[in-house]
Structure formats: structure tokens, C-alpha cells
Amino acid sequence: MRRSARPTHRLRAGIGLVAVLLAAAAVGRAGSTPSFQEIEESLTCQCGCGLTVHSCNHVNCPSALPLREEIRAQMASGHDKPKILAYFVQKYGEKILSSPTAQGFNLLAWVTPFVLLALAGGIVVLVAVRWSRRGQGPPPAAPAPGDNGAYREVLERELRRFEG
């Protein structure tokens, strides 16, 4: 009984440690100013490449270069990341963001893949269980105690099948 309690205790301790580390990381990030790269990664280049402003590799990109200058200007004004992103959303719309905001209809974009993955996993498990049970039918019925002829036929047929 003691062995079954140990993994639960370790699991709880592990979850607690992860929660503390995540909370410490969140507190550390809340007070710090965002880096230029962090903001670049949060914005999508508007040239049509589909990359972030940071990742856009077009030489003299007509979108990434002006966006970088705007980011620098916003950072020089002392604005924090949420305020800078709000500025770009107001100017260009939500399409400028590299990931949808986790509110309103966009919340569906965050949740749907995980829900579908869980449903698919459940279906796979259900089908696998049914398939594994399908091969486990009831054993063949034994012939009646007084019916040696039928029993002998079954025995001979099985022996022929086994040997041949």
C-alpha cells in the first residue's frame, strides 16, 4: 500500500514545483521591459511572406523595415509590450499579431486543436479496445458427455489442422 502512495506524492511535488517555477517566470517577466526581438516576434510581416517581423528574410522588405522603425519609436517612447501591440493592432488590425489573442472568438483558435486532439485520442482508444475484444469470443462449445462420435470428429479435425 505504501508503494502506491509514493508516486502520488512525487507527482504532487512535481506539479507544485512546476507551478512555482511558472509563477516566478511570470513575475519576472511582468516587471521587465520587453526586448526588441520579443516585440518583433509578436508581429507578422505584412509583405505576404507569413513570417514574423523578426524572421522576415526579404532584402529591403517594404513591410518589415518600416515596422522595425515603428517598434523602435514606440520603445523609445517608453511604452510596454501590451501598449506597443495595442498600437499596432489599432493601426493595422488584428492580422498584424503573430498569434491570436486569447479572448473572444480567438479563444476558439487556442482551444479547438486541443479539444480535437483529445476527442481523436478517445476515439482511437475506444476503437482499439473494441478491436482487442473482438478476437476474444466465447470458447467453442464442448460436445455433450454421451456424444463421443461428435467429440471424436472435432478432435480428428483439429489434429489434422494442427499437423497439416
Side-chain angles (χ1 to χ4, degrees):
M1 193 179 288
R2 195 159 162 85
R3 282 187 177 210
S4 65
R6 268 191 170 162
T8 304
H9 178 67
R10 287 182 182 166
L11 179 64
R12 286 182 183 167
I15 291 172
L17 180 63
V18 169
V20 168
L21 291 175
L22 288 175
V27 168
R29 288 188 120 205
S32 66
T33 58
S35 68
F36 179 73
Q37 181 179 344
E38 190 179 341
I39 295 175
E40 277 185 313
E41 289 288 344
S42 299
L43 300 174
T44 303
C45 186
Q46 301 299 297
C47 72
C49 66
L51 300 171
T52 63
V53 173
H54 177 74
S55 301
C56 182
N57 55 7
H58 294 120
V59 178
N60 297 325
C61 179
S63 176
L65 296 176
L67 285 171
R68 289 179 183 137
E69 291 304 316
E70 285 185 75
I71 293 170
R72 285 187 183 94
Q74 289 293 315
M75 290 181 79
S77 299
H79 297 200
D80 59 352
K81 184 178 177 180
K83 200 165 190 177
I84 294 172
L85 294 180
Y87 165 79
F88 282 104
V89 167
Q90 181 183 4
K91 186 171 181 179
Y92 297 98
E94 276 197 34
K95 66 180 183 168
I96 192 81
L97 298 176
S98 61
S99 62
T101 57
Q103 51 184 266
F105 184 74
N106 289 338
L107 188 60
L108 194 61
W110 287 105
V111 174
T112 301
F114 298 106
V115 170
L116 292 177
L117 188 62
L119 285 173
I123 290 171
V124 166
V125 167
L126 190 80
V127 168
V129 166
R130 286 190 178 175
W131 280 354
S132 68
R133 288 184 182 166
R134 187 177 288 171
Q136 298 175 355
D147 189 13
N148 286 337
Y151 180 71
R152 186 176 304 274
E153 278 182 40
V154 170
L155 179 62
E156 287 175 6
R157 189 172 4 136
E158 290 295 321
L159 284 172
R160 279 193 303 265
R161 194 177 83 189
F162 179 72
E163 291 174 356

